[in-house]
Amino acid sequence: MAEGRWPMADAARIGYGTPYAFSHAFSREFGTTPGRYREGHHGDRAPEPA
């Protein structure tokens, strides 16, 4: 996701019912939206590299 566009429709594939649900959970966990994360504004906590 950090390296480019990640289709939000894929959120359902990892267990979220809607793209909004994924975005909301991501924001709660990492302190920023997925879009801002992609832009490099990682907030308080960035996901650890795989």
Side-chain angles (χ1 to χ4, degrees):
M1 184 170 85
E3 295 157 3
R5 299 293 298 165
W6 185 67
M8 291 301 290
D10 287 344
R13 288 191 214 170
I14 60 171
Y16 293 94
T18 66
Y20 172 79
F22 170 79
S23 182
H24 187 70
F26 187 97
S27 295
R28 274 194 330 260
E29 183 68 22
F30 299 109
T32 190
T33 64
R36 286 190 184 248
Y37 176 82
R38 282 191 305 268
E39 293 169 358
H41 304 109
H42 300 294
D44 296 336
R45 182 173 160 225
E48 304 210 2

